[in-house]
Each structure stands twice: as structure tokens, then as C-alpha cells.
Amino acid sequence: MYYMCIGLHIIMLFFFFQAEDGIRDFCLSRGLGDVYKRQVQGWKKVNDAVHKKNGHIFLQIWHGGRAVHPANVGGKPGLAPSPIAIRTQVFTVQGIKPHMTPKEMTEEEIKQMIQDFRKGAENAMKAGFDGLELHGANGYIVDSFLRDHTNRRQDQWGGSVENRTRFCLEVVDQLVSVFGPNRVGVKVTPNGRYNDMFDSNPLKTYTYLAQQLSKKNIAYLHCAENDEDYISWVPNNFISGKKQMVSVAKDLRPHFKNTLVDNLGYGIVSADEAIQEGIADAISFGRAFMSNPDFVERIQNGWPLTEVDLSTSYLGGAKGYSDYPTYQQSLQQQQTKSHQY
């Protein structure tokens, strides 16, 4: 599917690999050897196919942090700035299980993970990716350092906004040292609740982060609006994210000088309006691309979109990912059926 959607000049690849040490990312490895060499070789084939169709492909690089379940990584706990468990359940190789309390990272582990991100960037470069998006959203490792619900440390990595953003900014420095600032972006969900996340003052936290990222001159900042209408469980002991930041993009736009991308809750008309009004420079779509491999062509021609079947998501295999027909294929299928009657 990675080059079926080539009408979208740039493809963002959301990918992770679970390893025995709890690492949940592409090639973030300190010694798993041959499996990662094969990963690099395999993804180089995919990237070459994208490039042959004049496309570009960015890797979203991340670590699962406290969202990693021991059952999926050889019994080892997830890692986090503070030992606070997610109050939901998760898919594991042993079935659905409650999240476990993560291990609080030591200073040495934090510094090692920052270097692991650099190693991941180096391997992504070898595999032929055109750039990186640091996943700083949705409760994974970077996000858990940023927000004060999950980061309750009292050292240089926690407490103040400056300290809580330190991990993210140091990881960005490592990614930039490999790819350059014009090929690195960061995704954030300041008022999102997925994975039981919360910050007491997201406007303050993410205004500072956006300002620092702007100084680093990275390519783009990718925001996502509040997700409470899209997730199955919302923590009821937190104030609604919508009350904290009505529009993430509007709030952060003045503080980030380069491209600002917004996501979540947009239709085609509202996306165009947001760009025209200067709320964002671009709007990203996820689900619509899953179910419409010819998404760009449909928009250009005013063709209807196919709704995504979320019951097939995250189950593995081709169903629900690479088996959706294009608009023209759908017409052909309908014509074939009509001839059968």
C-alpha cells in the first residue's frame, strides 16, 4: 500500500517494530544484529518503489514507552519518565490485557535512548527514507516526558516546562544531525487523551516547545486536535482537552515559523477553509487514505470517499489496508454486478 497512494506526493509511514528490549521503533537497536539489517534492506525496496513513482516517504520514528506491554517484548516492562500505568487495556500476543506499570527510567537509560533515536535515524537514512517525523504524541515516550501527568520527575528531565521538553528537544537534535533540519518534523497532541494522557497547562507547555522547535528550524510541526470524539475511553478525572485548547493549530501557529500541519476532525471543505484562514499550512488525513488509495484523485474530481472499516484496523494482514478499491475499480465492480442480474 505504500506506493498505491502515490498521488499524495509525500507518504508518511507509521511503522514500528517491537524488539526484546522493549524498543518499539524502526531500527532503534543496540545489538539485535541481523534482524535490523534485514529491516533496512526490506524497507529500502519499499522506498525505492516510492521513489520510482516520483514520491517521497518520511518515517515516523518513535518508542512506545509506557504503552509497551511486557507480553509483547519478552516479559520486560515498558519504560517511562515516571512509573504511572495507562488505565486501559491493550492488544498483546496473549490477548487483550490491562497495561502494566512501566519502569521509571534512570539517567543512564534516558541518555541511552536519546542515542538509540540517533541510531534509528542512521538506519532510516540507510534504508532510503527521505525524512523523519518524531512521534511526540499519543502518550508514547516523547509525549510522556512532555506532559506533567506522566512526568513527575524532580531532576533535569522533569518538573518545569523547560525540563519536561528537554528529552524531546535533545532527540530532535540527534535526528537533525543525521537528516538535517529541513527533513525533520515533530508530531504533538497537546490536549489529546489517547493512552490516558493529560497536561495541566498544555498551552504553556506546547507554546514553549513550538518556540524551541522553531528556533531549530525544523521542517514542520504536525498538530492533532482533541481526540475525545474518536477514542473508546476518555479519562473522566481530567478536564476536557477541548476546554484547555479550543484549537491547537490556532494556538501554536504564532509560535512556529515554518510549515504547520493540523490533523483530526477535518473534512475536505473544512480542511480547505482552515488553510485559507491561515490556521494551518496543510491538513493531514489518515483514515481517508487507508480506505481511498486514490484519495488525491477523488478530491481533485469531486468523487465520493469510501468510509474506512475500523474493525479491520491493527489486526495484521492485507484486509483493511491494501484491499480497498479505487473509485474507478468500484465503478467497474458495480457494473460487473449489474450485468450479473
Side-chain angles (χ1 to χ4, degrees):
M1 68 174 292
Y2 307 110
Y3 53 89
M4 284 169 57
C5 301
I6 206 60
L8 170 73
H9 187 58
I10 297 177
I11 298 175
M12 180 60 65
L13 176 63
F14 299 87
F15 174 77
F16 67 83
F17 182 85
Q18 288 193 323
E20 288 299 313
D21 57 359
I23 286 170
R24 193 173 180 180
D25 206 327
F26 176 79
C27 302
L28 289 187
S29 170
R30 296 192 292 277
L32 291 180
D34 188 55
V35 64
Y36 285 94
K37 291 179 181 178
R38 296 199 304 272
Q39 288 279 311
V40 170
Q41 293 166 357
W43 286 109
K44 192 173 189 310
K45 295 178 181 178
V46 174
N47 294 335
D48 287 345
V50 171
H51 295 150
K52 286 179 181 178
K53 290 184 177 260
N54 298 318
H56 295 80
I57 181 166
F58 272 45
L59 173 74
Q60 189 184 68
I61 189 167
W62 58 300
H63 184 293
R66 71 184 190 132
V68 172
H69 195 283
N72 291 335
V73 290
K76 296 181 180 179
L79 300 174
S82 302
I84 301 168
I86 299 172
R87 294 172 294 172
T88 60
Q89 295 181 315
V90 63
F91 288 102
T92 78
V93 294
Q94 300 171 1
I96 297 177
K97 291 181 175 292
H99 278 283
M100 304 295 287
T101 301
K103 177 184 182 298
E104 181 173 316
M105 298 172 72
T106 64
E107 175 87 8
E108 181 180 356
E109 287 171 328
I110 293 172
K111 291 180 177 179
Q112 180 61 63
M113 187 177 289
I114 292 171
Q115 292 305 309
D116 288 342
F117 271 97
R118 179 184 175 85
K119 179 63 175 177
E122 291 171 347
N123 285 336
M125 176 72 79
K126 292 177 184 177
F129 285 98
D130 297 302
L132 298 173
E133 178 178 281
L134 176 62
H135 196 339
N138 292 343
Y140 302 115
I141 193 67
V142 174
D143 197 21
S144 65
F145 271 92
L146 290 172
R147 298 204 242 182
D148 56 14
H149 167 62
T150 46
N151 185 349
R152 304 183 188 182
R153 301 178 73 95
Q154 298 300 315
D155 58 7
Q156 66 171 328
W157 304 101
S160 67
V161 170
E162 292 79 5
N163 284 352
R164 284 186 282 116
T165 56
R166 188 187 308 276
F167 180 82
C168 176
L169 295 173
E170 291 200 11
V171 171
V172 167
D173 286 341
Q174 294 300 321
L175 304 187
V176 166
S177 71
V178 177
F179 273 85
N182 64 328
R183 292 201 283 166
V184 172
V186 175
K187 182 176 182 180
V188 295
T189 49
N191 63 351
R193 296 293 178 259
Y194 183 73
N195 272 332
D196 195 11
M197 292 301 295
F198 176 76
D199 188 77
S200 61
N201 192 343
L203 181 58
K204 179 180 179 181
T205 299
Y206 287 88
T207 293
Y208 177 81
L209 178 65
Q211 292 169 343
Q212 298 307 306
L213 292 173
S214 190
K215 291 178 183 178
K216 294 180 184 296
N217 203 31
I218 64 169
Y220 67 89
L221 179 61
H222 189 180
C223 306
E225 299 297 333
N226 179 262
D227 57 8
E228 291 171 47
D229 293 334
Y230 300 90
I231 58 178
S232 59
W233 179 82
V234 177
N236 58 16
N237 60 319
F238 298 148
I239 184 175
S240 170
K242 298 174 186 177
K243 294 182 179 179
Q244 291 183 304
M245 297 177 75
V246 176
S247 171
V248 173
K250 276 187 179 180
D251 287 335
L252 298 187
R253 172 71 284 179
H255 305 288
F256 187 76
K257 64 182 180 182
N258 291 339
T259 299
L260 189 141
V261 184
D262 202 17
N263 176 262
L264 205 62
Y266 286 97
I268 304 307
V269 174
S270 59
D272 186 60
E273 291 174 346
I275 294 171
Q276 295 300 321
E277 293 170 13
I279 295 172
D281 298 301
I283 303 298
S284 65
F285 290 86
R287 295 177 181 179
F289 269 106
M290 286 173 57
S291 55
N292 298 276
D294 55 344
F295 179 80
V296 173
E297 191 176 3
R298 291 187 188 225
I299 300 307
Q300 291 173 336
N301 290 280
W303 297 337
L305 298 179
T306 300
E307 290 292 324
V308 67
D309 179 6
L310 294 179
S311 68
T312 62
S313 300
Y314 303 106
L315 298 179
K319 186 172 177 55
Y321 286 93
S322 59
D323 61 344
Y324 283 102
T326 65
Y327 179 70
Q328 295 294 346
Q329 289 171 338
S330 297
L331 290 180
Q332 292 173 1
Q333 291 172 1
Q334 292 172 9
Q335 291 173 355
T336 300
K337 287 182 180 179
S338 65
H339 289 320
Q340 292 175 347
Y341 294 98

